[in-house]
Amino acid sequence: GAVVSQHPSWVICKSGTSVKIECRSLDFQATTMFWYRQFPKQSLMLMATSNEGSKATYEQGVEKDKFLINHASLTLSTLTVTSAHPEDSSFYICSAWTPLNYGYTFGSGTRLTVV
Amino acid sequence: AQTVTQSQPEMSVQEAETVTLSCTYDTSESDYYLFWYKQPPSRQMILVIRQEAYKQQNATENRFSVNFQKAAKSFSLKISDSQLGDAAMYFCAYRSDGQNFVFGPGTRLSVLP
């Protein structure tokens, strides 16, 4: 079945540094990927939609200069949290549209802790 | 805007028993898709079951089945013969063509041995 690999699974960084999270579709081409943020005991909130070869579409209230999304190939989308602050600490999940089963496949998520 | 409501923040069920999780949604669309996702402690989102709104027949996947009431905009999930591995957060989600997922707030299910 379709697999979306997300890396790293967890990361700790210092305030002011940048962190890159990768999301790869392993056995299919993902023209569209989605990035979500999930706070503890809360639901998933869509941050942005990335389309291969074009600029990402950000949801209202999401700072595009802080959360840089790149979707340079059909199998890789990256989310870079720039100048991270403790309030950016959260669980980030990517997902991709999977044409094979007409559904969405999620990555395993990345727990980001900014200290 | 579409909204998804799950009125049960927490539910518990005895092992081998049956439990039903509730979900209601609001939309003006006629064609859309509804999903139930499971998020165990590993935080991996796992698709449990999917329903196309144009289908009258309720979807079923082994021990999981839904009760889809389109007019009432209700989409409940029934888990039969509950197992310890069913313990997780369950999210109801809505999507229509050209639009992104809208997730409900989730229901935490505990399975008691």
Side-chain angles (χ1 to χ4, degrees), chain A:
Chain A
V3 177
V4 172
S5 175
Q6 187 171 344
H7 178 80
S9 56
W10 60 271
V11 58
I12 301 174
C13 71
K14 292 184 177 181
S15 289
T17 61
S18 295
V19 174
K20 179 184 285 187
I21 301 170
E22 293 187 347
C23 185
R24 293 181 184 271
S25 57
L26 296 186
D27 48 4
F28 66 100
Q29 293 183 333
T31 56
T32 302
M33 288 191 176
F34 305 88
W35 288 94
Y36 294 87
R37 185 173 182 175
Q38 186 180 28
F39 289 107
K41 298 185 179 182
Q42 293 190 23
S43 189
L44 280 71
M45 297 299 295
L46 181 65
M47 299 175 64
T49 302
S50 75
N51 296 293
E52 186 269 337
S54 63
K55 290 184 177 181
T57 302
Y58 290 82
E59 295 299 301
Q60 191 173 6
V62 177
E63 299 177 60
K64 62 180 180 181
D65 293 330
K66 179 168 190 59
F67 298 99
L68 301 179
I69 292 173
N70 183 281
H71 195 158
S73 79
L74 287 172
T75 60
L76 175 64
S77 176
T78 61
L79 166 67
T80 302
V81 182
T82 63
S83 186
H85 288 106
E87 56 264 32
D88 298 326
S89 299
S90 189
F91 192 70
Y92 294 88
I93 308 175
C94 67
S95 76
W97 166 250
T98 315
L100 181 64
N101 60 9
Y102 201 65
Y104 289 82
T105 302
F106 286 82
S108 54
T110 298
R111 181 180 299 282
L112 170 63
T113 301
V114 183
V115 297

Side-chain angles (χ1 to χ4, degrees), chain B residues 70-85:
Chain B
K70 191 172 184 179
K73 297 179 183 176
S74 171
F75 184 60
S76 62
L77 174 70
K78 185 172 80 171
I79 306 174
S80 304
D81 186 24
S82 297
Q83 301 175 359
L84 295 178

